[in-house]
Amino acid sequence: MKKTVFNYTIVLLMTGAAFIGCQSASQKEQNASDQVIVAKENLESVENQTQTDAIQLAESEEWQAFKIASLEKIQNNEKVMADLRKKIKSSGKKADAAYDKKISELEVKNNNLKSRMTTYESDQTDWILFKTEFNKDMEGLGTALKEFVK
């Protein structure tokens, strides 16, 4: 009889422990919803990182193409200005000093564009803003050169 009571006591304790250790349906639901929220946050984080990486890669490729095209324009501007200086020196007119001064100003602008290109390459700040401003300044210089040649 002692053995039977002992066995029933052990079974009762184990059953009680099992019920105490089990979670209620509302607790299981809460844990599941918490896990879903964490999974969504992780997914959003991964998606944001993927988008950032894709943007950086696209900007890098776009930057390389932009840099090559811009440096070609800058070199062309330098050639045009060198040709203008030669023409001015060979003409021997009184207005040559004023023209020479304007060409010097255009050379300074061209050199500033070249240095901005180098500075951006090391800084890599806001790409869209840089590109917009640089193109605007490059077009302004090109327009000034065209007007000067006329």
Side-chain angles (χ1 to χ4, degrees), residues 3-71:
K3 198 173 193 181
T4 312
V5 172
F6 182 71
N7 286 339
Y8 283 124
T9 306
I10 290 179
V11 169
L12 185 62
L13 288 174
M14 291 177 79
T15 306
F19 282 118
I20 291 173
C22 291
Q23 296 177 343
S24 67
S26 64
Q27 288 175 333
K28 287 180 182 179
E29 185 178 320
Q30 181 63 35
N31 288 344
S33 67
D34 290 345
Q35 289 175 351
V36 168
I37 290 171
V38 169
K40 284 182 181 179
E41 289 173 354
N42 289 341
L43 179 62
E44 288 175 3
S45 174
V46 168
E47 287 175 346
N48 289 339
Q49 184 62 38
T50 303
Q51 288 174 348
T52 302
D53 291 345
I55 289 170
Q56 288 175 344
L57 179 62
E59 286 179 355
S60 174
E61 291 171 359
E62 187 178 358
W63 161 247
Q64 293 301 322
F66 179 80
K67 179 181 171 184
I68 290 169
S70 296
L71 289 176

Side-chain angles (χ1 to χ4, degrees), residues 19 24 26 40 42 51 64-65 74 83 96 99 103 105 111-112 119 125 132 140 144 147:
F19 282 118
S24 67
S26 64
K40 284 182 181 179
N42 289 341
Q51 288 174 348
Q64 293 301 322
I74 289 171
D83 290 342
D96 290 347
Y99 289 140
I103 291 173
E105 290 173 1
N111 289 334
N112 285 343
T119 303
T125 55
T132 304
E147 289 175 3

